[in-house]
mmCIF file of all heavy atoms in Angstrom:
data_model
loop_
_atom_site.group_PDB
_atom_site.id
_atom_site.type_symbol
_atom_site.label_atom_id
_atom_site.label_comp_id
_atom_site.label_asym_id
_atom_site.label_seq_id
_atom_site.Cartn_x
_atom_site.Cartn_y
_atom_site.Cartn_z
ATOM 1 N N THR E 1 0.827 -1.201 0.000
ATOM 2 C CA THR E 1 0.000 0.000 0.000
ATOM 3 C C THR E 1 0.865 1.255 0.000
ATOM 4 O O THR E 1 0.561 2.243 -0.685
ATOM 5 C CB THR E 1 -0.927 0.002 1.226
ATOM 6 O OG1 THR E 1 -1.686 -1.219 1.258
ATOM 7 C CG2 THR E 1 -1.881 1.179 1.180
ATOM 8 N N LEU E 2 1.965 1.223 0.757
ATOM 9 C CA LEU E 2 2.857 2.368 0.802
ATOM 10 C C LEU E 2 3.545 2.599 -0.531
ATOM 11 O O LEU E 2 3.678 3.740 -0.997
ATOM 12 C CB LEU E 2 3.904 2.159 1.896
ATOM 13 C CG LEU E 2 4.951 3.257 2.083
ATOM 14 C CD1 LEU E 2 4.284 4.572 2.462
ATOM 15 C CD2 LEU E 2 5.959 2.860 3.139
ATOM 16 N N PHE E 3 3.963 1.524 -1.204
ATOM 17 C CA PHE E 3 4.635 1.667 -2.489
ATOM 18 C C PHE E 3 3.682 2.137 -3.579
ATOM 19 O O PHE E 3 4.129 2.682 -4.591
ATOM 20 C CB PHE E 3 5.286 0.348 -2.902
ATOM 21 C CG PHE E 3 6.498 0.014 -2.078
ATOM 22 C CD1 PHE E 3 6.823 -1.303 -1.801
ATOM 23 C CD2 PHE E 3 7.303 1.011 -1.576
ATOM 24 C CE1 PHE E 3 7.934 -1.600 -1.047
ATOM 25 C CE2 PHE E 3 8.415 0.719 -0.813
ATOM 26 C CZ PHE E 3 8.736 -0.581 -0.551
ATOM 27 N N SER E 4 2.387 1.902 -3.406
ATOM 28 C CA SER E 4 1.434 2.437 -4.375
ATOM 29 C C SER E 4 1.406 3.953 -4.346
ATOM 30 O O SER E 4 1.014 4.590 -5.335
ATOM 31 C CB SER E 4 0.033 1.883 -4.098
ATOM 32 O OG SER E 4 -0.441 2.345 -2.845
ATOM 33 N N VAL E 5 1.835 4.554 -3.211
ATOM 34 C CA VAL E 5 1.945 6.016 -3.116
ATOM 35 C C VAL E 5 3.308 6.489 -3.581
ATOM 36 O O VAL E 5 3.432 7.483 -4.294
ATOM 37 C CB VAL E 5 1.676 6.473 -1.666
ATOM 38 C CG1 VAL E 5 1.801 7.987 -1.546
ATOM 39 C CG2 VAL E 5 0.303 6.018 -1.207
ATOM 40 N N LEU E 6 4.369 5.745 -3.197
ATOM 41 C CA LEU E 6 5.725 6.146 -3.566
ATOM 42 C C LEU E 6 6.017 5.895 -5.034
ATOM 43 O O LEU E 6 6.697 6.680 -5.687
ATOM 44 C CB LEU E 6 6.745 5.393 -2.708
ATOM 45 C CG LEU E 6 6.746 5.697 -1.210
ATOM 46 C CD1 LEU E 6 7.815 4.869 -0.527
ATOM 47 C CD2 LEU E 6 6.994 7.163 -0.956
ATOM 48 N N PHE E 7 5.522 4.764 -5.560
ATOM 49 C CA PHE E 7 5.836 4.370 -6.932
ATOM 50 C C PHE E 7 4.551 4.109 -7.723
ATOM 51 O O PHE E 7 4.267 2.970 -8.084
ATOM 52 C CB PHE E 7 6.695 3.107 -6.953
ATOM 53 C CG PHE E 7 7.965 3.215 -6.167
ATOM 54 C CD1 PHE E 7 8.070 2.650 -4.923
ATOM 55 C CD2 PHE E 7 9.050 3.884 -6.686
ATOM 56 C CE1 PHE E 7 9.235 2.741 -4.190
ATOM 57 C CE2 PHE E 7 10.221 3.975 -5.970
ATOM 58 C CZ PHE E 7 10.323 3.407 -4.712
ATOM 59 N N PRO E 8 3.724 5.133 -7.965
ATOM 60 C CA PRO E 8 2.551 4.871 -8.812
ATOM 61 C C PRO E 8 2.962 4.450 -10.214
ATOM 62 O O PRO E 8 2.307 3.646 -10.847
ATOM 63 C CB PRO E 8 1.809 6.213 -8.802
ATOM 64 C CG PRO E 8 2.854 7.219 -8.461
ATOM 65 C CD PRO E 8 3.827 6.531 -7.567
ATOM 66 N N THR E 9 4.071 5.012 -10.705
ATOM 67 C CA THR E 9 4.687 4.615 -11.977
ATOM 68 C C THR E 9 6.187 4.822 -11.854
ATOM 69 O O THR E 9 6.660 5.525 -10.957
ATOM 70 C CB THR E 9 4.167 5.447 -13.168
ATOM 71 O OG1 THR E 9 4.418 6.834 -12.899
ATOM 72 C CG2 THR E 9 2.679 5.216 -13.394
ATOM 73 N N PHE E 10 6.956 4.207 -12.750
ATOM 74 C CA PHE E 10 8.393 4.424 -12.805
ATOM 75 C C PHE E 10 8.684 5.389 -13.953
ATOM 76 O O PHE E 10 8.383 5.099 -15.112
ATOM 77 C CB PHE E 10 9.134 3.107 -13.019
ATOM 78 C CG PHE E 10 9.554 2.455 -11.746
ATOM 79 C CD1 PHE E 10 8.636 1.778 -10.957
ATOM 80 C CD2 PHE E 10 10.867 2.520 -11.320
ATOM 81 C CE1 PHE E 10 9.019 1.188 -9.772
ATOM 82 C CE2 PHE E 10 11.262 1.926 -10.136
ATOM 83 C CZ PHE E 10 10.339 1.257 -9.361
ATOM 84 N N THR E 11 9.259 6.523 -13.624
ATOM 85 C CA THR E 11 9.561 7.540 -14.623
ATOM 86 C C THR E 11 10.984 7.350 -15.126
ATOM 87 O O THR E 11 11.934 7.396 -14.341
ATOM 88 C CB THR E 11 9.395 8.949 -14.032
ATOM 89 O OG1 THR E 11 8.064 9.078 -13.520
ATOM 90 C CG2 THR E 11 9.634 9.999 -15.095
ATOM 91 N N ILE E 12 11.142 7.137 -16.417
ATOM 92 C CA ILE E 12 12.447 6.955 -17.036
ATOM 93 C C ILE E 12 12.549 7.941 -18.196
ATOM 94 O O ILE E 12 11.630 8.064 -19.007
ATOM 95 C CB ILE E 12 12.645 5.514 -17.530
ATOM 96 C CG1 ILE E 12 12.465 4.525 -16.381
ATOM 97 C CG2 ILE E 12 14.017 5.340 -18.169
ATOM 98 C CD1 ILE E 12 12.541 3.084 -16.804
ATOM 99 N N GLU E 13 13.648 8.649 -18.257
ATOM 100 C CA GLU E 13 13.838 9.623 -19.324
ATOM 101 C C GLU E 13 14.187 8.919 -20.639
ATOM 102 O O GLU E 13 14.739 7.827 -20.659
ATOM 103 C CB GLU E 13 14.954 10.607 -18.947
ATOM 104 C CG GLU E 13 14.630 11.444 -17.712
ATOM 105 C CD GLU E 13 15.738 12.414 -17.377
ATOM 106 O OE1 GLU E 13 16.777 12.376 -18.084
ATOM 107 O OE2 GLU E 13 15.569 13.193 -16.424
ATOM 108 N N ASN E 14 13.870 9.611 -21.722
ATOM 109 C CA ASN E 14 14.211 9.154 -23.078
ATOM 110 C C ASN E 14 13.615 7.771 -23.378
ATOM 111 O O ASN E 14 14.299 6.853 -23.803
ATOM 112 C CB ASN E 14 15.729 9.121 -23.270
ATOM 113 C CG ASN E 14 16.353 10.489 -23.081
ATOM 114 O OD1 ASN E 14 15.758 11.502 -23.428
ATOM 115 N ND2 ASN E 14 17.560 10.523 -22.514
ATOM 116 N N VAL E 15 12.324 7.627 -23.095
ATOM 117 C CA VAL E 15 11.595 6.403 -23.442
ATOM 118 C C VAL E 15 10.873 6.655 -24.761
ATOM 119 O O VAL E 15 9.985 7.509 -24.839
ATOM 120 C CB VAL E 15 10.601 6.005 -22.336
ATOM 121 C CG1 VAL E 15 9.793 4.795 -22.773
ATOM 122 C CG2 VAL E 15 11.345 5.714 -21.045
ATOM 123 N N PHE E 16 11.237 5.901 -25.793
ATOM 124 C CA PHE E 16 10.641 6.093 -27.107
ATOM 125 C C PHE E 16 9.986 4.820 -27.652
ATOM 126 O O PHE E 16 9.329 4.874 -28.683
ATOM 127 C CB PHE E 16 11.692 6.579 -28.105
ATOM 128 C CG PHE E 16 12.344 7.868 -27.695
ATOM 129 C CD1 PHE E 16 13.617 7.872 -27.173
ATOM 130 C CD2 PHE E 16 11.669 9.068 -27.802
ATOM 131 C CE1 PHE E 16 14.228 9.051 -26.782
ATOM 132 C CE2 PHE E 16 12.265 10.257 -27.425
ATOM 133 C CZ PHE E 16 13.554 10.252 -26.908
ATOM 134 N N SER E 17 10.191 3.701 -26.984
ATOM 135 C CA SER E 17 9.605 2.442 -27.439
ATOM 136 C C SER E 17 9.201 1.620 -26.220
ATOM 137 O O SER E 17 10.023 1.368 -25.331
ATOM 138 C CB SER E 17 10.617 1.658 -28.289
ATOM 139 O OG SER E 17 10.058 0.438 -28.737
ATOM 140 N N VAL E 18 7.921 1.214 -26.178
ATOM 141 C CA VAL E 18 7.402 0.462 -25.034
ATOM 142 C C VAL E 18 6.631 -0.753 -25.530
ATOM 143 O O VAL E 18 6.074 -0.751 -26.632
ATOM 144 C CB VAL E 18 6.492 1.341 -24.148
ATOM 145 C CG1 VAL E 18 7.274 2.463 -23.497
ATOM 146 C CG2 VAL E 18 5.331 1.903 -24.949
ATOM 147 N N HIS E 19 6.611 -1.789 -24.711
ATOM 148 C CA HIS E 19 5.848 -2.999 -24.986
ATOM 149 C C HIS E 19 4.634 -3.033 -24.064
ATOM 150 O O HIS E 19 4.758 -2.765 -22.861
ATOM 151 C CB HIS E 19 6.702 -4.244 -24.751
ATOM 152 C CG HIS E 19 7.834 -4.393 -25.717
ATOM 153 N ND1 HIS E 19 7.868 -5.370 -26.686
ATOM 154 C CD2 HIS E 19 8.983 -3.685 -25.869
ATOM 155 C CE1 HIS E 19 8.988 -5.263 -27.380
ATOM 156 N NE2 HIS E 19 9.686 -4.247 -26.903
ATOM 157 N N ALA E 20 3.487 -3.357 -24.609
ATOM 158 C CA ALA E 20 2.249 -3.444 -23.833
ATOM 159 C C ALA E 20 1.611 -4.805 -24.064
ATOM 160 O O ALA E 20 1.600 -5.315 -25.190
ATOM 161 C CB ALA E 20 1.281 -2.328 -24.220
ATOM 162 N N ASP E 21 1.115 -5.381 -22.994
ATOM 163 C CA ASP E 21 0.439 -6.668 -23.112
ATOM 164 C C ASP E 21 -0.414 -6.868 -21.874
ATOM 165 O O ASP E 21 -0.279 -6.155 -20.864
ATOM 166 C CB ASP E 21 1.453 -7.807 -23.254
ATOM 167 C CG ASP E 21 0.814 -9.073 -23.834
ATOM 168 O OD1 ASP E 21 -0.381 -9.005 -24.168
ATOM 169 O OD2 ASP E 21 1.506 -10.099 -23.936
ATOM 170 N N GLU E 22 -1.302 -7.853 -21.941
ATOM 171 C CA GLU E 22 -2.190 -8.170 -20.824
ATOM 172 C C GLU E 22 -2.268 -9.683 -20.657
ATOM 173 O O GLU E 22 -2.024 -10.438 -21.601
ATOM 174 C CB GLU E 22 -3.596 -7.597 -21.047
ATOM 175 C CG GLU E 22 -4.475 -8.350 -22.035
ATOM 176 C CD GLU E 22 -4.003 -8.212 -23.468
ATOM 177 O OE1 GLU E 22 -3.299 -7.231 -23.760
ATOM 178 O OE2 GLU E 22 -4.346 -9.076 -24.293
ATOM 179 N N THR E 23 -2.569 -10.110 -19.437
ATOM 180 C CA THR E 23 -2.754 -11.526 -19.149
ATOM 181 C C THR E 23 -3.927 -11.667 -18.194
ATOM 182 O O THR E 23 -4.361 -10.682 -17.577
ATOM 183 C CB THR E 23 -1.481 -12.137 -18.527
ATOM 184 O OG1 THR E 23 -1.629 -13.566 -18.428
ATOM 185 C CG2 THR E 23 -1.229 -11.591 -17.131
ATOM 186 N N VAL E 24 -4.419 -12.882 -18.076
ATOM 187 C CA VAL E 24 -5.590 -13.137 -17.248
ATOM 188 C C VAL E 24 -5.184 -13.980 -16.045
ATOM 189 O O VAL E 24 -4.385 -14.918 -16.162
ATOM 190 C CB VAL E 24 -6.710 -13.842 -18.058
ATOM 191 C CG1 VAL E 24 -6.235 -15.176 -18.607
ATOM 192 C CG2 VAL E 24 -7.971 -14.002 -17.221
ATOM 193 N N LEU E 25 -5.705 -13.618 -14.887
ATOM 194 C CA LEU E 25 -5.529 -14.377 -13.652
ATOM 195 C C LEU E 25 -6.910 -14.721 -13.119
ATOM 196 O O LEU E 25 -7.793 -13.858 -13.080
ATOM 197 C CB LEU E 25 -4.748 -13.570 -12.609
ATOM 198 C CG LEU E 25 -3.308 -13.188 -12.982
ATOM 199 C CD1 LEU E 25 -2.717 -12.289 -11.898
ATOM 200 C CD2 LEU E 25 -2.447 -14.419 -13.156
ATOM 201 N N VAL E 26 -7.104 -15.950 -12.706
ATOM 202 C CA VAL E 26 -8.406 -16.438 -12.239
ATOM 203 C C VAL E 26 -8.354 -16.634 -10.737
ATOM 204 O O VAL E 26 -7.497 -17.382 -10.229
ATOM 205 C CB VAL E 26 -8.798 -17.751 -12.944
ATOM 206 C CG1 VAL E 26 -10.163 -18.223 -12.453
ATOM 207 C CG2 VAL E 26 -8.806 -17.560 -14.456
ATOM 208 N N PHE E 27 -9.243 -15.973 -10.016
ATOM 209 C CA PHE E 27 -9.354 -16.120 -8.576
ATOM 210 C C PHE E 27 -10.823 -16.294 -8.218
ATOM 211 O O PHE E 27 -11.657 -15.449 -8.560
ATOM 212 C CB PHE E 27 -8.794 -14.893 -7.845
ATOM 213 C CG PHE E 27 -7.321 -14.695 -8.046
ATOM 214 C CD1 PHE E 27 -6.849 -13.667 -8.832
ATOM 215 C CD2 PHE E 27 -6.411 -15.538 -7.456
ATOM 216 C CE1 PHE E 27 -5.502 -13.478 -9.018
ATOM 217 C CE2 PHE E 27 -5.056 -15.367 -7.632
ATOM 218 C CZ PHE E 27 -4.597 -14.337 -8.415
ATOM 219 N N LYS E 28 -11.124 -17.400 -7.550
ATOM 220 C CA LYS E 28 -12.486 -17.692 -7.115
ATOM 221 C C LYS E 28 -13.464 -17.595 -8.285
ATOM 222 O O LYS E 28 -14.525 -16.969 -8.207
ATOM 223 C CB LYS E 28 -12.904 -16.751 -5.984
ATOM 224 C CG LYS E 28 -12.072 -16.931 -4.720
ATOM 225 C CD LYS E 28 -12.566 -16.041 -3.592
ATOM 226 C CE LYS E 28 -11.748 -16.274 -2.336
ATOM 227 N NZ LYS E 28 -12.193 -15.423 -1.214
ATOM 228 N N GLU E 29 -13.060 -18.237 -9.405
ATOM 229 C CA GLU E 29 -13.869 -18.332 -10.618
ATOM 230 C C GLU E 29 -14.158 -16.975 -11.236
ATOM 231 O O GLU E 29 -15.135 -16.815 -11.970
ATOM 232 C CB GLU E 29 -15.177 -19.075 -10.327
ATOM 233 C CG GLU E 29 -14.967 -20.505 -9.830
ATOM 234 C CD GLU E 29 -16.280 -21.214 -9.572
ATOM 235 O OE1 GLU E 29 -17.338 -20.550 -9.675
ATOM 236 O OE2 GLU E 29 -16.241 -22.426 -9.266
ATOM 237 N N GLN E 30 -13.342 -15.974 -10.971
ATOM 238 C CA GLN E 30 -13.485 -14.662 -11.593
ATOM 239 C C GLN E 30 -12.189 -14.306 -12.313
ATOM 240 O O GLN E 30 -11.100 -14.576 -11.802
ATOM 241 C CB GLN E 30 -13.815 -13.583 -10.550
ATOM 242 C CG GLN E 30 -15.202 -13.722 -9.945
ATOM 243 C CD GLN E 30 -15.548 -12.553 -9.047
ATOM 244 O OE1 GLN E 30 -14.770 -11.619 -8.893
ATOM 245 N NE2 GLN E 30 -16.731 -12.603 -8.451
ATOM 246 N N LYS E 31 -12.321 -13.700 -13.487
ATOM 247 C CA LYS E 31 -11.165 -13.333 -14.280
ATOM 248 C C LYS E 31 -10.746 -11.895 -13.967
ATOM 249 O O LYS E 31 -11.576 -10.997 -13.882
ATOM 250 C CB LYS E 31 -11.478 -13.452 -15.772
ATOM 251 C CG LYS E 31 -11.642 -14.885 -16.265
ATOM 252 C CD LYS E 31 -11.860 -14.907 -17.766
ATOM 253 C CE LYS E 31 -11.998 -16.344 -18.282
ATOM 254 N NZ LYS E 31 -12.190 -16.376 -19.751
ATOM 255 N N TYR E 32 -9.439 -11.727 -13.818
ATOM 256 C CA TYR E 32 -8.850 -10.403 -13.629
ATOM 257 C C TYR E 32 -7.732 -10.243 -14.654
ATOM 258 O O TYR E 32 -6.906 -11.143 -14.831
ATOM 259 C CB TYR E 32 -8.293 -10.239 -12.210
ATOM 260 C CG TYR E 32 -9.350 -10.274 -11.137
ATOM 261 C CD1 TYR E 32 -9.762 -11.478 -10.568
ATOM 262 C CD2 TYR E 32 -9.947 -9.107 -10.680
ATOM 263 C CE1 TYR E 32 -10.728 -11.514 -9.587
ATOM 264 C CE2 TYR E 32 -10.918 -9.127 -9.697
ATOM 265 C CZ TYR E 32 -11.304 -10.337 -9.154
ATOM 266 O OH TYR E 32 -12.270 -10.376 -8.176
ATOM 267 N N TYR E 33 -7.702 -9.087 -15.299
ATOM 268 C CA TYR E 33 -6.699 -8.825 -16.327
ATOM 269 C C TYR E 33 -5.620 -7.907 -15.752
ATOM 270 O O TYR E 33 -5.928 -6.873 -15.141
ATOM 271 C CB TYR E 33 -7.338 -8.184 -17.560
ATOM 272 C CG TYR E 33 -8.286 -9.106 -18.291
ATOM 273 C CD1 TYR E 33 -9.657 -9.062 -18.039
ATOM 274 C CD2 TYR E 33 -7.809 -10.034 -19.207
ATOM 275 C CE1 TYR E 33 -10.527 -9.918 -18.703
ATOM 276 C CE2 TYR E 33 -8.679 -10.886 -19.873
ATOM 277 C CZ TYR E 33 -10.031 -10.830 -19.608
ATOM 278 O OH TYR E 33 -10.891 -11.676 -20.258
ATOM 279 N N VAL E 34 -4.383 -8.300 -15.970
ATOM 280 C CA VAL E 34 -3.223 -7.522 -15.531
ATOM 281 C C VAL E 34 -2.564 -6.935 -16.768
ATOM 282 O O VAL E 34 -2.179 -7.670 -17.687
ATOM 283 C CB VAL E 34 -2.223 -8.388 -14.744
ATOM 284 C CG1 VAL E 34 -1.036 -7.549 -14.284
ATOM 285 C CG2 VAL E 34 -2.905 -9.046 -13.548
ATOM 286 N N TRP E 35 -2.430 -5.611 -16.796
ATOM 287 C CA TRP E 35 -1.844 -4.890 -17.925
ATOM 288 C C TRP E 35 -0.480 -4.355 -17.507
ATOM 289 O O TRP E 35 -0.336 -3.771 -16.432
ATOM 290 C CB TRP E 35 -2.740 -3.723 -18.360
ATOM 291 C CG TRP E 35 -4.151 -4.109 -18.656
ATOM 292 C CD1 TRP E 35 -5.127 -4.430 -17.764
ATOM 293 C CD2 TRP E 35 -4.760 -4.209 -19.948
ATOM 294 N NE1 TRP E 35 -6.303 -4.725 -18.399
ATOM 295 C CE2 TRP E 35 -6.104 -4.600 -19.755
ATOM 296 C CE3 TRP E 35 -4.313 -4.002 -21.248
ATOM 297 C CZ2 TRP E 35 -6.989 -4.785 -20.791
ATOM 298 C CZ3 TRP E 35 -5.189 -4.186 -22.295
ATOM 299 C CH2 TRP E 35 -6.519 -4.574 -22.069
ATOM 300 N N LEU E 36 0.511 -4.524 -18.381
ATOM 301 C CA LEU E 36 1.861 -4.031 -18.118
ATOM 302 C C LEU E 36 2.354 -3.197 -19.293
ATOM 303 O O LEU E 36 1.975 -3.446 -20.449
ATOM 304 C CB LEU E 36 2.847 -5.178 -17.873
ATOM 305 C CG LEU E 36 2.649 -6.043 -16.626
ATOM 306 C CD1 LEU E 36 3.759 -7.071 -16.523
ATOM 307 C CD2 LEU E 36 2.573 -5.203 -15.363
ATOM 308 N N LEU E 37 3.211 -2.252 -18.977
ATOM 309 C CA LEU E 37 3.897 -1.438 -19.978
ATOM 310 C C LEU E 37 5.385 -1.490 -19.648
ATOM 311 O O LEU E 37 5.800 -1.041 -18.579
ATOM 312 C CB LEU E 37 3.386 0.001 -19.953
ATOM 313 C CG LEU E 37 3.482 0.802 -21.254
ATOM 314 C CD1 LEU E 37 2.592 0.168 -22.313
ATOM 315 C CD2 LEU E 37 3.064 2.240 -21.029
ATOM 316 N N VAL E 38 6.192 -2.075 -20.547
ATOM 317 C CA VAL E 38 7.612 -2.341 -20.300
ATOM 318 C C VAL E 38 8.455 -1.541 -21.282
ATOM 319 O O VAL E 38 8.132 -1.466 -22.476
ATOM 320 C CB VAL E 38 7.917 -3.850 -20.428
ATOM 321 C CG1 VAL E 38 9.404 -4.129 -20.216
ATOM 322 C CG2 VAL E 38 7.085 -4.639 -19.420
ATOM 323 N N ASP E 39 9.532 -0.945 -20.774
ATOM 324 C CA ASP E 39 10.447 -0.184 -21.615
ATOM 325 C C ASP E 39 11.278 -1.134 -22.476
ATOM 326 O O ASP E 39 11.773 -2.154 -22.002
ATOM 327 C CB ASP E 39 11.357 0.676 -20.743
ATOM 328 C CG ASP E 39 12.295 1.539 -21.565
ATOM 329 O OD1 ASP E 39 11.968 1.820 -22.735
ATOM 330 O OD2 ASP E 39 13.360 1.912 -21.040
ATOM 331 N N HIS E 40 11.441 -0.790 -23.748
ATOM 332 C CA HIS E 40 12.177 -1.649 -24.674
ATOM 333 C C HIS E 40 13.677 -1.664 -24.382
ATOM 334 O O HIS E 40 14.339 -2.695 -24.566
ATOM 335 C CB HIS E 40 11.936 -1.180 -26.108
ATOM 336 C CG HIS E 40 12.664 -1.986 -27.144
ATOM 337 N ND1 HIS E 40 12.275 -3.260 -27.516
ATOM 338 C CD2 HIS E 40 13.779 -1.701 -27.879
ATOM 339 C CE1 HIS E 40 13.108 -3.724 -28.431
ATOM 340 N NE2 HIS E 40 14.028 -2.791 -28.666
ATOM 341 N N GLU E 41 14.241 -0.546 -23.932
ATOM 342 C CA GLU E 41 15.685 -0.458 -23.724
ATOM 343 C C GLU E 41 16.112 -1.052 -22.387
ATOM 344 O O GLU E 41 17.047 -1.838 -22.313
ATOM 345 C CB GLU E 41 16.131 1.014 -23.822
ATOM 346 C CG GLU E 41 15.889 1.639 -25.182
ATOM 347 C CD GLU E 41 16.736 1.000 -26.270
ATOM 348 O OE1 GLU E 41 17.819 0.473 -25.934
ATOM 349 O OE2 GLU E 41 16.320 1.046 -27.447
ATOM 350 N N THR E 42 15.440 -0.670 -21.313
ATOM 351 C CA THR E 42 15.871 -1.073 -19.961
ATOM 352 C C THR E 42 15.159 -2.315 -19.441
ATOM 353 O O THR E 42 15.568 -2.863 -18.413
ATOM 354 C CB THR E 42 15.641 0.087 -18.982
ATOM 355 O OG1 THR E 42 14.243 0.406 -18.951
ATOM 356 C CG2 THR E 42 16.426 1.304 -19.414
ATOM 357 N N ASN E 43 14.079 -2.726 -20.097
ATOM 358 C CA ASN E 43 13.294 -3.885 -19.655
ATOM 359 C C ASN E 43 12.687 -3.666 -18.267
ATOM 360 O O ASN E 43 12.480 -4.622 -17.510
ATOM 361 C CB ASN E 43 14.136 -5.162 -19.674
ATOM 362 C CG ASN E 43 13.277 -6.416 -19.657
ATOM 363 O OD1 ASN E 43 12.081 -6.382 -19.972
ATOM 364 N ND2 ASN E 43 13.864 -7.528 -19.261
ATOM 365 N N LEU E 44 12.419 -2.430 -17.912
ATOM 366 C CA LEU E 44 11.785 -2.098 -16.639
ATOM 367 C C LEU E 44 10.284 -1.912 -16.837
ATOM 368 O O LEU E 44 9.833 -1.446 -17.887
ATOM 369 C CB LEU E 44 12.386 -0.825 -16.051
ATOM 370 C CG LEU E 44 13.851 -0.887 -15.625
ATOM 371 C CD1 LEU E 44 14.310 0.476 -15.142
ATOM 372 C CD2 LEU E 44 14.062 -1.932 -14.535
ATOM 373 N N ILE E 45 9.518 -2.272 -15.830
ATOM 374 C CA ILE E 45 8.067 -2.105 -15.876
ATOM 375 C C ILE E 45 7.750 -0.647 -15.582
ATOM 376 O O ILE E 45 7.999 -0.146 -14.488
ATOM 377 C CB ILE E 45 7.383 -3.028 -14.859
ATOM 378 C CG1 ILE E 45 7.787 -4.484 -15.083
ATOM 379 C CG2 ILE E 45 5.870 -2.882 -14.951
ATOM 380 C CD1 ILE E 45 7.252 -5.440 -14.045
ATOM 381 N N LEU E 46 7.187 0.044 -16.556
ATOM 382 C CA LEU E 46 6.912 1.468 -16.411
ATOM 383 C C LEU E 46 5.632 1.727 -15.634
ATOM 384 O O LEU E 46 5.584 2.600 -14.775
ATOM 385 C CB LEU E 46 6.836 2.130 -17.791
ATOM 386 C CG LEU E 46 8.108 2.035 -18.645
ATOM 387 C CD1 LEU E 46 7.863 2.655 -20.004
ATOM 388 C CD2 LEU E 46 9.278 2.688 -17.953
ATOM 389 N N CYS E 47 4.580 0.994 -15.933
ATOM 390 C CA CYS E 47 3.318 1.144 -15.217
ATOM 391 C C CYS E 47 2.510 -0.133 -15.357
ATOM 392 O O CYS E 47 2.797 -0.982 -16.208
ATOM 393 C CB CYS E 47 2.519 2.359 -15.709
ATOM 394 S SG CYS E 47 2.177 2.357 -17.476
#
């Protein structure tokens, strides 16, 4: 909960190419989709 305030997103300078994708996680017969945005150069999760 604290990191959701400190790190809502990771800010990286000079980002010009990003990868976006989603996956599904099933909990108690309900589907939840997790979306990620990853930097192409550093391979860090941006948001």
